[in-house]
Amino acid sequence: MRTLLIYPQYPDTFWSFKHALKFVHKKAAFPPLGLLTIASMLPKEWSLKLVDLNVAKLTDKDLAWADCAFISAMVVQRESAHEVIARCKRAGLKVIAGGPLFTSEHDQFAEVDYFVLNEAELTLPPFLEDMQKGYAKPLYETSDFCDIQKTPAPMWELMNLKHYASMSLQFSRGCPFNCEFCNVTALFGHRSRTKTAEQIIAELDGVYNLGWRGPVFFVDDNFIGNKAYLKAHLLPALIQWQEGKKGIPFNTEASVNLADDQILMEMMVKAGFDSVFIGIETPSEESLAECNKQQNKNRDLIECVKLMQRAGLQVQGGFIVGFDSDTPSIFQRQIEFIQKSGIVTAMVGLLNAPPGTRLYERMREEGRLIGPMSGDNVDGTTNILPKMGHQQLREGYRKIMQHIYSPKHFYTRTMTFLREYKRPKIRPPLDFQRLLAVFRSSIRLGVLGRERFQYWKMFFWTLFRRPNLFTLAITFAIYGHHFRKISKLNNVQ
Ligand code: B12
């Protein structure tokens, strides 16, 4: 069976990093891990070709070669997914679709031949078995969660490493918490299911042996869901793996209670972690109570962020406005929080209700659902009727984005962070592309950009005061450029 594994194109969004990737001559931030993983579950005798539309074109030759196409996507890739499916069908291919987009809205894709939904570890084997017998059904789904200790390592060799800024791998799925707006527990369960340390080391060896020398993103819903296993097994194994190697920093996603555990933070940093994405959401205790974000309540969130930064972990933060308890003062409070915390990469969005969440059910009961989600939670849209009124919420949101991404405040915040941050020992190598990025940024941002004054101020400040963080500072300047472009595109700048 000649098989295409196709990943549709992302639109130009906050997380696409499109305007930042140009500086380092990369085409996409991460490879499509879901497709690489299912590739390892397909029969060994099949011929496979990966086409990630974010880094390459789907050619007529590809379509003429193939018998079938396996497609994976997130909601944000909806439009491109429709186009890809239509092309595959015109070329006479059988289309098999799975992954988050199709799991949440398969009824919108009439042209797909077979839906293999939820976790492929459970749904793909029965599909393949039925297909080989000649009577595959149109839909395979499950409400069970698989044992990821049986998940095979992704088939890294299918991708072209040089197009990506970071690699990704997955240690765990699921999250012990129960936030009202989050669909992680519905999709992946409450219990943190972990791979073994041996599996992760084998996966890391896989990318390392292919020649990867750059950052690796652990794409876990909550990396610290099983702290005991981390401390006893995974982190010691990672610390040992890093010995004698250069330039493989890690980053991940975790809950804010990471700040309570100094030993865990120290071990993570020693293992190579240099940044974590944390769902901070809001400085309002009422709104935290409303969405049941227990782990963020009754604590000094700024101090938690600083503790992590001082330990050597850059904190990237998710923020939400539009909770029922939010009053008009929330916008200024969010601005002050973000500026004070030194969270440079602040993902601020309007409250949305993803299907499958308790929030979605509540909004439906209250008659406040107004349509499907856009899939991009930083575009200033929402699928619910906010209590404060859409106009006021949108205006307040625009005020936050204008403030935190204006050159003056963005660079001030970056310097707040650089003052606090403990430089990690494990850093990506300063290769030719990164050096070129410094040069490109000095022209694009320092000469042509409207932030030229702030750019040079930070450039020299870092050079003299925090020289070890110089390339990180330049990376932030480039991110700022991307975030401003996206805000403009979303009409919130
Ligand atoms: C890494 C990640 C990203 C990366 C993307 C990397 C990439 N190239 O794919 C980044 C940081 C860019 C990202 C961004 C966003 N993400 Co994201 N992301 C994740 C995360 C944490 C891990 C994804 C992953 O690699 N998983 C590991 C692989 C092995 O799992 P998988 O892809 O799901 O594949 C499994 C199954 O789905 C299935 N499968 C997948 N594809 C296919 C295809 C076929 C044919 C078959 C049979 C089976 C199958 O089999 C696999 C094995 O079980 C997930 C949460 C999660 N735990 O999955 C969210 C998640 C995918 N993201 C989500 C969202 C909403 C976003 C954002 C909009 C913003 C946000 N809130 O994060 C942006 C949009 C992207 C953009 N460019 O604008 C949602 C998607 C919801 C949806 N229904 O689409 C998720 C599920 C998180 C959530 N809580 O809702 N994200």
Side-chain angles (χ1 to χ4, degrees):
M1 185 77 89
R2 284 183 296 242
T3 305
L4 291 174
L5 299 159
I6 308 179
Y7 201 50
Q9 202 171 3
Y10 293 125
D12 194 0
T13 61
F14 187 91
W15 287 114
S16 71
F17 284 108
K18 183 176 155 193
H19 305 282
L21 290 167
K22 283 181 193 150
F23 287 83
V24 279
H25 269 212
K26 298 287 176 189
K27 292 188 174 169
F30 309 101
L33 191 58
L35 281 176
L36 295 175
T37 305
I38 65 152
S40 299
M41 301 178 199
L42 294 173
K44 297 287 161 269
E45 59 281 10
W46 286 19
S47 308
L48 308 179
K49 178 169 185 198
L50 176 74
V51 184
D52 176 356
L53 291 183
N54 301 288
V55 308
K57 286 203 161 47
L58 175 64
T59 63
D60 290 338
K61 208 169 139 204
D62 292 331
L63 292 166
W65 166 82
D67 303 308
C68 67
F70 280 64
I71 300 177
S72 171
M74 294 193 258
V75 169
V76 76
Q77 291 152 287
R78 189 189 279 135
E79 207 179 303
S80 171
H82 275 293
E83 285 165 18
V84 166
I85 292 165
R87 268 189 83 190
C88 290
K89 291 311 295 174
R90 279 201 300 275
L93 305 192
K94 286 276 179 234
V95 173
I96 300 103
L101 168 66
F102 304 102
T103 297
S104 55
E105 45 184 81
H106 68 269
D107 47 342
Q108 307 294 314
F109 293 87
E111 285 187 285
V112 168
D113 296 281
Y114 306 106
F115 290 104
V116 182
L117 307 180
N118 307 107
E119 295 186 322
E121 289 83 346
L122 298 178
T123 50
L124 191 57
F127 164 72
L128 292 172
E129 209 183 304
D130 290 353
M131 196 183 83
Q132 264 149 15
K133 287 184 197 147
Y135 53 74
K137 296 187 289 258
L139 177 72
Y140 292 78
E141 59 185 340
T142 177
S143 53
D144 290 340
F145 299 120
C146 72
D147 173 2
I148 60 171
Q149 301 201 348
K150 298 204 176 100
T151 301
M155 208 182 263
W156 309 112
E157 57 276 21
L158 289 179
M159 72 180 151
N160 189 341
L161 291 174
K162 73 167 196 247
H163 294 319
Y164 298 97
S166 173
M167 283 299 114
S168 45
L169 59 79
Q170 188 175 44
F171 165 61
S172 71
R173 291 185 200 162
C175 176
F177 297 108
N178 202 4
C179 308
E180 193 194 27
F181 55 81
C182 178
N183 56 0
V184 161
T185 47
L187 291 172
F188 305 108
H190 255 302
R191 196 172 57 84
S192 176
R193 289 170 288 147
T194 59
K195 289 184 183 168
T196 62
E198 292 74 25
Q199 275 175 290
I200 294 300
I201 296 301
E203 293 191 21
L204 281 170
D205 281 341
V207 275
Y208 192 83
N209 292 340
L210 277 179
W212 180 254
R213 300 292 182 272
V216 175
F217 177 21
F218 280 61
V219 298
D220 297 25
D221 304 305
N222 187 351
F223 183 70
I224 62 165
N226 185 342
K227 291 187 197 169
Y229 190 86
L230 280 185
K231 284 182 182 167
H233 302 284
L234 183 66
L235 293 172
L238 291 178
I239 291 168
Q240 202 186 354
W241 185 82
Q242 290 277 15
E243 275 167 25
K245 297 194 178 65
K246 271 198 188 132
I248 313 282
F250 301 141
N251 58 95
T252 190
E253 307 183 349
S255 42
V256 76
N257 53 320
L258 170 60
D260 304 340
D261 196 330
Q262 191 64 34
I263 294 177
L264 183 57
M265 288 191 291
E266 278 167 19
M267 286 182 82
M268 281 177 66
V269 171
K270 202 165 167 207
F273 286 86
D274 65 8
S275 64
V276 278
F277 181 92
I278 306 264
I280 305 268
E281 323 308 0
T282 175
S284 156
E285 283 289 325
E286 296 75 27
S287 299
L288 288 173
E290 173 190 321
C291 69
N292 195 37
K293 192 124 193 163
Q294 298 295 343
Q295 67 275 30
N296 287 31
K297 282 183 64 199
N298 301 321
R299 54 166 76 236
D300 182 343
L301 286 167
I302 299 243
E303 191 47 32
C304 292
V305 171
K306 302 275 174 195
L307 275 169
M308 291 184 261
Q309 292 170 341
R310 280 179 220 135
L313 294 165
Q314 181 209 143
V315 177
Q316 304 182 330
F319 296 88
I320 298 177
V321 286
F323 290 107
D324 288 356
S325 324
D326 281 350
T327 62
S329 68
I330 192 63
F331 307 113
Q332 190 55 33
R333 287 179 71 191
Q334 289 278 25
I335 288 172
E336 279 164 21
F337 184 97
I338 292 167
Q339 288 303 115
K340 248 196 217 155
S341 66
I343 294 180
V344 180
T345 302
M347 175 183 90
V348 189
L350 300 192
L351 182 68
N352 268 273
T357 58
R358 286 184 300 115
L359 179 64
Y360 187 86
E361 289 314 314
R362 181 161 72 82
M363 291 296 112
R364 195 168 51 182
E365 277 162 25
E366 294 177 15
R368 292 168 61 192
L369 284 177
I370 52 172
M373 300 193 320
S374 72
D376 173 5
N377 61 352
V378 196
D379 65 0
T381 65
T382 176
N383 66 337
I384 63 177
L385 270 179
K387 270 243 163 97
M388 100 170 31
H390 200 261
Q391 178 76 9
Q392 189 170 22
L393 181 58
R394 176 89 191 165
E395 275 313 306
Y397 181 67
R398 190 200 295 260
K399 183 177 149 195
I400 298 179
M401 297 306 265
Q402 270 171 354
H403 189 102
I404 65 170
Y405 287 116
S406 72
K408 182 170 168 230
H409 298 114
F410 179 79
Y411 281 89
T412 306
R413 184 162 86 251
T414 303
M415 281 154 69
T416 302
F417 167 72
L418 295 171
R419 268 187 211 104
E420 204 78 46
Y421 190 46
K422 182 177 155 203
R423 181 182 72 108
K425 287 208 173 70
I426 296 169
R427 280 168 297 157
L430 194 59
D431 59 18
F432 184 58
Q433 275 309 335
R434 285 167 69 87
L435 278 174
L436 266 185
V438 176
F439 174 71
R440 288 187 191 112
S441 75
S442 64
I443 303 294
R444 182 74 188 76
L445 312 177
V447 178
L448 305 172
R450 74 176 160 108
E451 67 260 61
R452 59 182 83 84
F453 171 71
Q454 283 89 7
Y455 176 88
W456 290 113
K457 188 175 157 199
M458 184 180 77
F459 189 101
F460 288 112
W461 181 87
T462 321
L463 211 54
F464 292 115
R465 304 285 290 276
R466 305 298 315 264
N468 291 327
L469 296 176
F470 179 69
T471 48
L472 184 60
I474 297 298
T475 307
F476 285 138
I478 293 171
Y479 281 7
H481 166 74
H482 170 75
F483 297 144
R484 267 189 293 286
K485 286 252 180 202
I486 294 303
S487 301
K488 218 175 248 152
L489 198 80
N490 292 332
N491 201 19
V492 289
Q493 189 59 246

